[in-house]
Amino acid sequence: NGATSDIHITTHGSDWYWAVCAVMTVATFAFAGLAQTKPRQQRIFHYITAAITMVAAIAYFTMGSNLGFTPIAANPQRNNPKVHGVYRQIFYVRYIDWVITTPLLLMDLLLTAAMPWPTVLFVILVDEVMIITGLVGALVYNNYKWGYFAFGNAALFYIVYVLVWEARKHANAMGKDVGKAFLICGSLTTVLWILYPIAWGVCEGGNVISPDSEAVFYGILDLFAKPVFGALLIWGHRGIDPARLGL
Ligand code: RET
């Protein structure tokens, strides 16, 4: 019964979550394995990147198993039968993943640009504000959720400013190879991160697309933001000694 039932993933969404889990697992072993081909002093970016895909693999294991969610009263929708229902399945486990992995992604980028530690720490603090406001907004059932969404977007705005302006200039000053690695990975991050609040708006926020579509939307973003980003970052670091970045 569409009017009273819950809005949740089907086996399609679950299968897709398992597929993403498999990619994250393979990527973790690849990044950790590649680290072993380097001297110990040159493994920092491999380890950070492997930690990111490892955490994601466990989050996707959870969602593939149809766990790590809570039902939240959903914004009523008339037009799309796939989002008819009283409660929508909200995967809070995503935010546990993000609160760990987004600071690590920012460390990958900001340490590549050799930004000073106080800047790295402050950007990570703002990033935590962004993720936690997103979590609280997702769990709020009424329109106050959009207030949290606005705070989260303000935080993202600041992070994007540091990436496209301050850190980009800093990376270029560190040399051509550092500048190029940062340009590739920083641009990818900027474009992808702006798409996350759009996904949130049509999933946890507005209940516009189904949980199966949510799985595909966030899943594609996560594949680019974690394994693809990680591969490009490690590739960009070939020939750059972390000691040159002060690490
Ligand atoms: C939320 C909602 C609140 C407003 C904003 C958001 C941004 C989230 C981002 C998430 C990035 C996640 C990544 C995961 C791992 O790969 C929390 C959705 C701005 C940018 C990169």
Side-chain angles (χ1 to χ4, degrees), residues 7-63:
I7 308 157
H8 52 73
I9 56 167
T10 69
T11 54
H12 295 292
S14 169
D15 288 349
W16 166 252
Y17 279 135
W18 281 117
V20 177
C21 174
V23 175
M24 296 293 185
T25 305
V26 169
T28 304
F29 282 104
F31 296 141
L34 276 172
Q36 310 311 309
T37 69
K38 297 274 177 186
R40 285 194 183 280
Q41 300 85 343
Q42 294 181 19
R43 295 179 183 173
I44 179 74
F45 293 100
H46 294 73
Y47 285 149
I48 294 174
T49 308
I52 293 166
T53 50
M54 181 183 75
V55 169
I58 300 169
Y60 275 88
F61 166 85
T62 307
M63 294 187 287

Side-chain angles (χ1 to χ4, degrees), residues 5-120:
S5 67
D6 294 351
I7 308 157
H8 52 73
I9 56 167
T10 69
T11 54
H12 295 292
S14 169
D15 288 349
W16 166 252
Y17 279 135
W18 281 117
V20 177
C21 174
V23 175
M24 296 293 185
T25 305
V26 169
T28 304
F29 282 104
F31 296 141
L34 276 172
Q36 310 311 309
T37 69
K38 297 274 177 186
R40 285 194 183 280
Q41 300 85 343
Q42 294 181 19
R43 295 179 183 173
I44 179 74
F45 293 100
H46 294 73
Y47 285 149
I48 294 174
T49 308
I52 293 166
T53 50
M54 181 183 75
V55 169
I58 300 169
Y60 275 88
F61 166 85
T62 307
M63 294 187 287
S65 309
N66 206 20
L67 297 170
F69 72 90
T70 191
I72 297 291
N75 189 15
Q77 295 290 338
R78 273 183 215 90
N79 299 328
N80 182 355
K82 288 188 172 160
V83 289
H84 274 179
V86 178
Y87 295 101
R88 181 185 172 103
Q89 181 177 37
I90 299 294
F91 285 103
Y92 61 78
V93 74
R94 280 188 208 296
Y95 301 87
I96 301 179
D97 168 336
W98 295 347
V99 87
I100 299 170
T101 57
T102 54
L104 293 173
L105 289 164
L106 289 170
M107 274 176 60
D108 260 348
L109 279 171
L110 297 175
L111 296 181
T112 294
M115 294 297 272
W117 272 106
T119 307
V120 177

Side-chain angles (χ1 to χ4, degrees), residues 213-231:
S213 305
E214 168 186 335
V216 173
F217 198 158
Y218 278 130
I220 290 173
L221 291 182
D222 282 353
L223 287 172
F224 279 98
K226 289 179 167 121
V228 173
F229 167 92

